[in-house]
Amino acid sequence: SEALEQNSFLRCDPIARTLTVSEGTWSIKNDLVIPRGYSLHVEAGATMSFTGGSVLLSSSPVMFLGTSEKPIHMKSNNEKPWNGIIVLNADSESIMQNVIIQNTDAVSREGWILTGAVTFYESPVKLMDCQFIDTAAEDALNIVGTGFTLSSCLFSHTVSDAFDGEFVTGDITECRLQAIGGDGVDVSGSDIKIEQCKFAKIADKAVYV
C-alpha cells in the first residue's frame, strides 16, 4: 500500500501478486520498496527516473523485460547519482533484459553500506543485453552467494570495478568491459566461466581471482 500510494504509475495485481511499471516515463521521488511476495515487472519502453540518492529495493524477483527497439532505461533525474537496484533473498530467479542503468552509486546511509550499484544478494539472476554506464560505486554489479548468467552486457565508465562476484556460480559470455577504473571481473570463492568477452582500457586487472 505504501509503494502504491507513493508511486501512482504502479499497477497491482493482487491475484498474480505482481507490481507492474508500464511503458512511459516515470519519476520516482523516494525509495521504491517492493515487499516480499510481490514481484516487480517493468515493461519494454519504460523509463524510470530516480531522485538522486534513492534506491529500488526488492525482497522478491524483478522482471525487467526490455527489447532492442524499446529498452528499459533507469537513471537519475538530476546530476546526483541514484543508489541503484538491490535484490535481497529473492525466492526465485530475476531476469533483466535490454536494460540501461546509468549514473549510479552504492547505498551509504546510517550505517547501511553496500559496494554495488546493482546488487543481487542470494538472489539468482539472468542479465542479458544490459548496459551499466557511469558508475561511481566500488562495483557496478555485485552478485553474492547465488547462480547467475551475464551475457552480451556492456560495462562502461566505472570509477572502480565492473563486476564483483562473491561465492557465485555462473557464466559471463560475449560481454564488453571498457573504460573501467578498477578490475573488469573480480571474483572470490566462485566457479565461473568467461567466454568471448572484450576488455579495453582497464585501469587495474582485466580478471582478478
Side-chain angles (χ1 to χ4, degrees):
S1 59
E2 181 179 343
L4 293 171
E5 182 179 347
Q6 293 182 356
N7 303 281
S8 59
F9 57 85
L10 287 175
R11 300 199 321 266
C12 179
D13 185 334
I15 298 176
R17 299 184 71 81
T18 60
L19 293 170
T20 300
V21 179
S22 301
E23 179 179 356
T25 300
W26 314 107
S27 179
I28 296 93
K29 296 181 179 179
N30 302 299
D31 294 340
L32 176 55
V33 180
I34 308 301
R36 183 169 300 281
Y38 276 80
S39 59
L40 177 65
H41 293 238
V42 182
E43 296 179 348
T47 294
M48 301 177 70
S49 181
F50 290 80
T51 297
S54 61
V55 64
L56 193 164
L57 171 64
S58 179
S59 298
S60 299
V62 296
M63 299 291 171
F64 293 5
L65 302 178
T67 66
S68 56
E69 295 80 14
K70 292 184 176 182
I72 294 166
H73 199 173
M74 308 186 71
K75 61 180 183 177
S76 172
N77 61 16
N78 54 34
E79 294 182 358
K80 183 180 178 181
W82 67 292
N83 286 158
I85 302 168
I86 305 165
V87 180
L88 299 176
N89 303 114
D91 57 6
S92 59
E93 185 177 68
S94 296
I95 297 176
M96 298 181 67
Q97 185 168 16
N98 286 292
V99 182
I100 302 169
I101 302 170
Q102 194 167 7
N103 192 22
T104 51
D105 201 348
V107 166
S108 179
R109 62 171 84 159
E110 299 177 356
W112 184 30
I113 300 172
L114 298 180
T115 62
V118 176
T119 300
F120 287 87
Y121 180 84
E122 296 185 354
S123 303
V125 61
K126 287 183 179 178
L127 300 112
M128 300 164 286
D129 298 290
C130 294
Q131 300 180 35
F132 302 83
I133 303 171
D134 296 328
T135 302
E138 183 177 335
D139 310 312
L141 173 63
N142 184 207
I143 301 178
V144 182
T146 192
F148 76 96
T149 298
L150 191 61
S151 63
S152 301
C153 291
L154 168 68
F155 294 83
S156 181
H157 294 89
T158 66
V159 168
S160 189
D161 297 346
F163 171 74
D164 186 298
E166 303 167 47
F167 305 101
V168 294
T169 302
D171 299 328
I172 303 174
T173 307
E174 295 183 349
C175 292
R176 291 180 294 141
L177 303 92
Q178 60 192 38
I180 305 301
D183 299 327
V185 173
D186 180 347
V187 294
S188 57
S190 299
D191 183 0
I192 68 168
K193 181 187 289 185
I194 303 174
E195 294 185 301
Q196 300 179 17
C197 293
K198 295 182 178 181
F199 299 82
K201 296 183 178 178
I202 310 295
D204 202 342
K205 297 165 285 293
V207 179
Y208 176 66
V209 180

